[in-house]
Amino acid sequence: MSAGVSVVGSGHLEELDDRSPVGVSKTLTLAKALNLGLHDAMTHDPKVVVMGEDVGTLGGVFRITDGLLTDFGADRVIDTPLAEAGIVGTAVGLAMRGYRPVVEIQFDGFVYPAYDQIVCQVAKMRYRSQGRTPMPMVIRIPYGGGIGAVEHHSESPEAQFAHTPGLKVVTCSDPADGYWMVRQAIECDDPVVFLEPKRQYHSGKAEVALDAAPGPLFASRVVRPVDGAVTATVLAYGPTVRTALRAAEAASAEGHQLEVIDLRTLSPLDLEPVYASVRRSGRAIVVHEAHVNLGIGAEVAARTTEECFYSLEAPVLRVGGFDTPYPASRMEEAFLPDLDRVLDAVDRSLAF
Amino acid sequence: MSAGVSVVGSGHLEELDDRSPVGVSKTLTLAKALNLGLHDAMTHDPKVVVMGEDVGTLGGVFRITDGLLTDFGADRVIDTPLAEAGIVGTAVGLAMRGYRPVVEIQFDGFVYPAYDQIVCQVAKMRYRSQGRTPMPMVIRIPYGGGIGAVEHHSESPEAQFAHTPGLKVVTCSDPADGYWMVRQAIECDDPVVFLEPKRQYHSGKAEVALDAAPGPLFASRVVRPVDGAVTATVLAYGPTVRTALRAAEAASAEGHQLEVIDLRTLSPLDLEPVYASVRRSGRAIVVHEAHVNLGIGAEVAARTTEECFYSLEAPVLRVGGFDTPYPASRMEEAFLPDLDRVLDAVDRSLAF
Amino acid sequence: MVTIHPERHPEHHRQDTAPPAEGHADGGPDMVQLLTPDGERRHHPLYDADFSAEQVRALYRDMALTRRLDVEATALQRHGELGLWAQLLGQEAAQIGAAHALRPQDFVFPTYREHAVAWVRGVDPLQILSLWRGVDHGGWDPHEHNFGQYTVVIGAQTLHAVGYAMGAQCDGVVGTGDADVDTAVVAHFGDGASSQGDVSEAFVFAASYNAPVVFFCQNNQWAISEPVIRQTRVPLYQRAAGFGFPGVRVDGNDVLATYAVTQRALQAAREGQGPFLIEAYTYRMGAHTTTDDPTRYRSSAEVEHWRARDPLARVETYLRRTVGADQRFFDDVAAEADELGHELREGCKAMPDPDPLRIFDHVYAEPPAELVAQRDAFADYHASFEDA
Amino acid sequence: MVTIHPERHPEHHRQDTAPPAEGHADGGPDMVQLLTPDGERRHHPLYDADFSAEQVRALYRDMALTRRLDVEATALQRHGELGLWAQLLGQEAAQIGAAHALRPQDFVFPTYREHAVAWVRGVDPLQILSLWRGVDHGGWDPHEHNFGQYTVVIGAQTLHAVGYAMGAQCDGVVGTGDADVDTAVVAHFGDGASSQGDVSEAFVFAASYNAPVVFFCQNNQWAISEPVIRQTRVPLYQRAAGFGFPGVRVDGNDVLATYAVTQRALQAAREGQGPFLIEAYTYRMGAHTTTDDPTRYRSSAEVEHWRARDPLARVETYLRRTVGADQRFFDDVAAEADELGHELREGCKAMPDPDPLRIFDHVYAEPPAELVAQRDAFADYHASFEDA
Ligand SMILES: Cc1ncc(C[n+]2csc(CCOP(=O)(O)OP(=O)(O)O)c2C)c(N)n1
Ligand SMILES: Cc1ncc(C[n+]2csc(CCOP(=O)(O)OP(=O)(O)O)c2C)c(N)n1
Ligand SMILES: [Mg+2]
Ligand SMILES: [Mg+2]
C-alpha cells in the first residue's frame, strides 16, 4: 500500500502548471511575498498543509499565514496545540501519509522543544527507511534580532540545523527570494529548515517577478558583483545581506570594492561563487548574527581556506554575534554585526 | 533568602580536603575511573547528586554509577522517570536549591529531548539572572561510535553544545583524565557537558594518580610531543586521540613526526598549544567522529588559520564522520576516522 | 482534520465516555467559588477559609494596585518606554489569591505574566519593567524574594519547580510540622502551556517523587489567538488525576476562592502530601501582549461577558456591603495607586540604557580567555568611536 | 527525595484523594480479562468478542511462532550473528492480540520490540533481524505492510501516529461506514515511554483533533531496570481521561482480551470516535535487551510469579480443554516453528555485509554536490585499498 507516500512535486518550479503569465510582477514586502508564496503553493498542490501556533484565525503573529484559513479551510491551515515537538512530530506523520506539511515555529528561540523530532526524525526518516519514507517538509522559522524583543525572540539557530545531515537549510533576504524560495522549498522532496529574517518582514517593498523563479534554491548568489579589482569578498545571508551591501557602499566611497555574496543556502553550502570571488580578491569576510564560535562562518572559512589556499592574502575573517547569549534588547545594537564592524573586518583583513 | 543558592566548590581541586595521600594511584579502566571520580566527588561534597535513567539499582547501563546508590542512598542517586527534558529540567531546579546535579544521559542520541532545557535554561540561567542563579551542573553523555549498536547509540553531538554560549564542553580520552576531569567538572560553577568516549569505557586500564589533578580542566594537552622537526600537528579528542596516536606511530615508521594534541576542552577551546605546534609544523589535521560539516574541526581550522596564517604550509585539514546520519553498524568502520584516513590526510597536507 | 473537532461534529464524539466539551463560560459545577460575581459570599465543604475584614481589604488593595501597575505599564509601552508588555488585566484575583497564600520560605516559579505575584513577593515593579524595557532579563534577585526569573519558553519553569521541590525534600524542610520551616513550591503556567511536554513531564516527576509542588494553571481561555478548546476538551484540572494527584478548578476571578484553594494545596504540599493542580478559571481581559490585536480572534460579546465577572468589582461590592469598608478606604487605595503610577512612570523613564559591555557579563562564573578577549576587543573597538 | 516515595512512606501519601499505588502483580479489578491464567474463559460486559476455534488456533499459532522467532534471535545474538536483540518473550499475547485486530488499511507505529506485530503484518522476520545485525535500520517497506520503521527514541513515534491519523481524517477515510476504507492507526509504546513529553503531546493532539488513533501501551512492568512505579503511581490507562479520551487496562497476557479490546478501540476510531488508550498489563520475561542483566534489579520470585501467567500456556489449555485442538495441531505448530528457526538461522548467517558506500545512500532525495564529492572521494580512497 504505497498510496500513502506518493509525493507531489518535482522540484522544478519551471514546470509549475499554475504559474502566473509571463511578465507579471508585484511589489511586496517580504512578509507579503512569503504569504503569497504559501498561498500559491497551496493552490498548486492540494497536499500542502500549513500548521503551527496561531497560523489560522490570527494568520500568525507576523501575519505570514494571513488569509490562508479563509482560502483553504481548517483542514489545510491547522492551528495546533502549544507544543513544538507535537507540531513537528505530527507533521512527520502527515508527511508519511503523503502530505507536504509547512510548519511554522513562532520564533527562533522556540524551536528547541522540537529539536529531537527535527534532528532524530525529520532528518533521518528517509535514511532509516532506505528512501522509502520521504520527508518533504518545510520548517519555517522567523529568526534573527534587531526587533527590540524579549528573550528567545532574536536568535539565529542555523548552524545547529546545518550540522545535521538529512536537513537542508536556506534563508532569504529579500521579497523575491521570499516568494520563490518558499515555493521551491515546498517543492523540495527533502526537509528544509526555512529561515526568515523577521527584522525585514515589513521593512520595505520590492518587485517580485511571478512568472519564473530567478534561479535554483540551493545556490548562493553574487548580489553585488564587482568589475575589475576586488578589495574583499563579503559573505552574508538573511538579515546581514543588507548590512553587507551597506558596508560595500560605504567602502566604495573610500575606494574599496567589496563583492557581496548572499549565501542563501546554508546546507548544502554553495561555495563555488565564493571561491571564484576569493580567487580574485584574496580576502573574505563572513557576516552573520549567530555566534561566531562554530557559526556558519567557521565552515565557510575552513572550506574556503582549503579551496583557495594559495589565493588568500589574509585569513577568512568572521563578523558575528558575540559568544554570549543574546542580550537584552537595549544592548542588541552592539551585539549585532553592523556596517562598522564589517568595515573594521575589512581593515583587519587588509592589515594582514 | 540566599541559602538556597550557596554553592560549594572553588574550582581548584588542589584544595580538595579529602584528596588521597600523595603518591597513591590505582590502575583503572575509564569506566572505573569515572565511577571512582563520581564516588569521590560525592564524598567530598554532600550537595552532589547523581540522576538519570537506570543510574540507581542498575548502576547505569554502562555501570558508571555502579555502587553509588548503596554508598550514598536514594536521596543522592536518583533513578528518574524516562524523560530527558524532565531530568535536566528538574536538575535545574535542584541547582537553584543549592545542589550540584550530575545528570546522566543514557546515550548521545537521547540528549535531544533535553535540548531545549539545556540550551535555553541551563546555558542561560546565570546570564538571565545577572549572576544570581548559578547553574553548577554536569551533563554526562556517553558518546561516539564503534560499539556495534543500533541507531542513536553512536553519535557525536559536541558541536551543538559548543556553539551554545553559557555551556562548557569537555571530553576525556583516558582513565586519568576520566577521574580528574569529572571531578573538576563537578567542582566547576558553570554547567559542563561532559562527553565520555563510550567505546573506551572498558578497553584497557591505565594508572590514575589520585593525589593531584594532572592539570587544569579547560586546557588541551600535547599527548605526543615531538622534539625537533614536526611533520604535522594532529588534533584529536575523546575517542579519536587513540586513533591519532596510532597514526603517529605508523607515520613515525615512515619518517614522519606527528605531534598529537588532545583538545580535551571543546568549549572553550584551548588552542595556544595548537598554535605553538602549528607554528613549528606548518600543517594541522583535526580528527573527530562528528560530521565534518560544522564540526569542531571547522572552528579549529578557522581560528588556527587566523592565528597562524603565515606559518601554514597547507590548509588545516579535517578528518571526521561523513555528512550522513550515522550508518548501520556493519558500515560504521568505514564511517569512523581511522589510522589510514589520518595518514591519508597527512599525505594530502604534504601535497600542498 | 480540524473540521472533525468534537465541538463542531458532535456525532463524531464518543458519547458514552467523553466528558463535556470545554469552553463554556462559567466554569461548570465543579468550580470552587466563594464570592459570586455579585459579591455574595458562598461556602464550600472542602475549600473554604475565614477571612478577616483586614485580610479582604489587603487582597483588594493588592488587586487594585497591581491593576494600576498593569495599566501604567501598558501606557508606558504605548509611549515607547517599554518594548513590550504582557497584560495581567482580569487575572488579578487568580494571582493575588495565590500569592497571599504563600509563606516566605515558599518559592514561586512564574511565567512572564505573574506581575501581581511578583508584587506580593516584594519585587520592585521597576525591576519588572526593566525586563520589558529591554534593559535586562528581569532585575530582581530570585533568591531574595523566593520568586524566580520570568520564563518565556512556555512550560520550562514547571520542571524547575519540581526539581526545586525535590531539593526542599532532600533538605528536610517538608513535613516537619514547623510552620516556619515547611516549604512548598508554586509553578505557574497557562492553559496553552498545558500542552507542552515539559508540563506533563513535570506532573510525572512531581508524582513520582511526591514533590511539594502546587501547579497553578491560569486558564485565561486563550493562548494568544487559540481558545482553550484547541488544547483540551476536558477541564484542565482533570489532567492531574491521570498522573496520580488531585486537581481542582477554582473561580480565578474570585480572590477568596483562589486564596482558599491555594492555601490548602500549599499546606498539604508542605506537610508532605505531594503535588496538587489548581486550575484558576479566569479571563485575559487585555491583549496577549501589547503587540497583539485580540479583535482578530475573539468577540466583544465574550469580553463583555467576562467584564461582568470582573475580579475587583465583586470584592468592592463585598467590602462595601458585607465586610465593611468605607469610601475613605477606597479613596486611599486610589491615591496609593496614583502614587504608584507616578513612581512607575518616572522610574521607568529614568532608567539608563545599559552599558553595552554588559553583554559580556555573567555568561560564565569563570569566563574563558577567548570570551574575555572578545570583550576587550569590543571595548577597544567601541572606545574608538567614543574617541572619534 | 526518593525516600519520600509514597510506596515507602505511606504516611506522606494523600489518603483521601490518591488512588492505590501501582505495581501490584495482578492488574487490579479494572483489568479486562477473557481468559484466566488457568485457561478459563471469562466474559466482560463491554469488551468481549466471539472467537471461532479457527481464530483461537490462529492466535496461538502466531504466538508460538513469534516466540520461536524471539528465541532464535536471542540465540543468534549469543552466537555473534546479531549485535543486539530486544526480546519480546512474555509479550506475545499483547502483540498478537493487538495485531490481529488490525485491518489492512490500518497503520502501525511500533517501538523496537513489536516483532510479533511485524510478523502479523507480513514483515519478513529476516528484515527485522537485519536491523539488529547492523546491516540496515530495518529492511521492510513501511508502506507495503502499513507497519512503520522501528523507533528507538522513546515515544517519538506516538506523534507520528497522531499525524498520520490526522492525515487519514483529511483523506476522508474515517467514519465513512465502509469497512474496507475506514482507517485507524496504532501507536505502540511502553510503560517507561509514558513519561516522555512526546507521548503526552500525542495525547493532546489526538484529543484536540479527535484523531483515529489507538495508543497501545505495553506495560511490561519495567523500563530497563526501573519498575513502573517510578513512572506512575496510578494505573497508566487512567492517564487518558485527563486528556479527554477513554482508556482501559487489559490483561496483556490474555490474547483474547487484547484482541477484543483493541478490536473495539480500533473500530471506534475508524468510525470517527477519536483516540483511545489501551494499557496491556504484561511482563517482560526476558532481559531488556541481550546486553541487559535483569538479575541486577529484579527478583526471581517476581519472574516466577509471571511465568505462571504465561500467555501461551493459557491458550494451549483453553484450546485443549475447551475449543478443541488435538496434539497434531500442536505438533504442526512446533514443526512450523522449527522450520522458521532453521530459516532464520540460515538466512541471518547468509546476510552479506553491506557495501560501505551505502553509507551515502538515501540521505537526501537530491544529494548535494558536496556529499556526492565526499562519496566519490571515499570510493576512490576505498578502492585504493582494494587495489593494494
Ligand atoms: C516554547 C514556546 N512556544 C511558543 C511561545 C510563544 N508564545 C508566547 S505566549 C504564548 C501563549 C501562551 O498561552 P498560555 O500558556 O495560555 O499563557 P497566557 O499567555 O495565556 O498567559 C505563546 C504561543 C513561547 N513563548 N514558548
Ligand atoms: C529518548 C530515549 N531515552 C532513553 C532511551 C534508552 N532506552 C531504551 S529502551 C528504554 C526503556 C524503555 O522502557 P519502556 O518504554 O517501558 O519499553 P520496554 O523496553 O519495556 O518495552 C530506555 C530508557 C531511548 N531509547 N530513548
Ligand atoms: Mg492562556
Ligand atoms: Mg516497559
Side-chain angles (χ1 to χ4, degrees), chain B residues 107-333:
Chain B
F107 281 87
D108 34 60
F110 307 138
V111 71
Y112 300 113
Y115 199 72
D116 176 59
Q117 284 286 342
I118 296 173
V119 306
C120 294
Q121 304 301 328
V122 176
K124 292 184 173 171
M125 196 61 92
R126 171 184 290 275
Y127 196 71
R128 180 181 298 149
S129 68
Q130 296 164 61
R132 292 168 180 135
T133 304
M135 209 30 61
M137 185 188 303
V138 175
I139 301 176
R140 293 181 39 243
I141 311 179
Y143 83 122
I147 62 160
V150 295
E151 236 192 320
H152 311 287
H153 290 73
S154 307
E155 297 173 13
S156 300
E158 61 269 22
Q160 304 166 72
F161 296 113
H163 182 56
T164 304
L167 300 178
K168 291 178 171 173
V169 183
V170 302
T171 180
C172 53
S173 68
D174 65 33
D177 264 2
Y179 177 85
W180 283 107
M181 288 176 76
V182 82
R183 293 211 57 186
Q184 290 170 315
I186 293 170
E187 288 281 308
C188 179
D189 286 335
D190 290 309
V192 177
V193 174
F194 190 90
L195 297 159
E196 303 170 1
K198 67 171 91 78
R199 181 162 33 146
Q200 265 151 247
Y201 274 147
H202 306 285
S203 73
K205 295 183 178 186
E207 189 139 329
V208 180
L210 297 174
D211 51 350
L217 177 57
F218 299 107
S220 58
R221 184 191 297 144
V222 182
V223 288
R224 187 177 189 278
V226 171
D227 288 336
V230 188
T231 310
T233 305
V234 179
L235 314 171
Y237 56 85
T240 59
V241 172
R242 191 172 296 190
T243 315
L245 288 171
R246 286 188 188 139
E249 290 315 312
S252 168
E254 296 179 21
H256 291 316
Q257 298 310 324
L258 306 185
E259 190 152 273
V260 179
I261 299 181
D262 180 353
L263 291 178
R264 295 175 81 251
T265 171
L266 307 181
S267 178
L269 284 164
D270 174 37
L271 296 184
E272 286 305 333
V274 174
Y275 304 152
S277 179
V278 169
R279 286 192 189 107
R280 290 166 60 215
S281 67
R283 302 177 197 279
I285 287 132
V286 198
V287 191
H288 52 60
E289 293 190 7
H291 313 297
V292 167
N293 184 35
L294 279 162
I296 297 288
E299 184 65 27
V300 171
R303 286 202 208 169
T304 303
T305 308
E306 203 171 329
E307 290 296 323
C308 307
F309 189 66
Y310 293 113
S311 310
L312 281 172
E313 307 281 344
V316 177
L317 297 182
R318 298 174 285 165
V319 177
F322 300 119
D323 292 320
T324 72
Y326 199 90
S329 63
R330 296 221 169 205
M331 293 175 276
E332 71 182 336
E333 228 179 275

Side-chain angles (χ1 to χ4, degrees), chain B residues 1-2 5 10 47 75 78-81 83-87 89-90 92-94 96-97 99 116-117 120-121 125-133 164-168 189-190 267-268 303, chain C residues 104-105 107 109 136-144 146 149-151 153 156 159-160 162-164 166-168 170-171 173 198 201 204-205 208-209 358-359 361-366 368 370:
Chain B
M1 220 192 262
S2 64
V5 286
S10 64
K47 290 293 187 186
D75 271 5
I78 308 170
D79 265 335
T80 64
E84 285 77 9
I87 297 169
T90 53
V92 167
L94 280 159
M96 289 180 71
R97 180 87 203 172
Y99 288 86
D116 176 59
Q117 284 286 342
C120 294
Q121 304 301 328
M125 196 61 92
R126 171 184 290 275
Y127 196 71
R128 180 181 298 149
S129 68
Q130 296 164 61
R132 292 168 180 135
T133 304
T164 304
L167 300 178
K168 291 178 171 173
D189 286 335
D190 290 309
S267 178
R303 286 202 208 169
Chain C
Q105 69 269 25
F107 201 102
F109 287 82
D136 54 39
H137 295 315
W140 63 95
D141 184 339
H143 309 283
E144 185 187 331
N146 277 359
Q149 296 287 129
Y150 275 8
T151 305
V153 178
L159 282 166
H160 309 166
V162 174
Y164 190 95
M166 289 162 69
C170 254
D171 290 342
V173 296
D198 275 14
E201 293 188 9
V204 168
F205 277 67
S208 188
Y209 301 109
R358 276 182 49 197
I359 289 174
D361 291 349
H362 307 300
V363 183
Y364 296 99
E366 297 177 44
E370 189 73 24

Side-chain angles (χ1 to χ4, degrees), chain A residues 53-54 61 82-84 105-107 109-113 151-153, chain B residues 116, chain C residues 86-87 91 95 111-114 151-156 189-196 217-226 228 231 284 288-289:
Chain A
E53 294 156 9
D54 305 294
V61 294
L82 208 175
E84 286 76 9
I105 299 292
Q106 201 161 76
F107 280 88
F110 307 138
V111 71
Y112 300 114
E151 236 193 318
H152 310 288
H153 289 73
Chain B
D116 176 59
Chain C
Q87 294 172 267
Q91 299 177 224
Q95 295 190 16
T111 72
Y112 42 82
R113 206 187 286 287
E114 271 69 63
T151 305
V152 174
V153 178
I154 300 290
F189 65 106
D191 47 298
S194 68
S195 295
Q196 282 285 4
C217 176
Q218 288 169 68
N219 175 358
N220 63 7
Q221 312 299 326
W222 293 93
I224 310 187
S225 74
E226 296 191 3
V228 63
Q231 320 288 343
R284 194 193 76 209
H288 170 69
T289 64

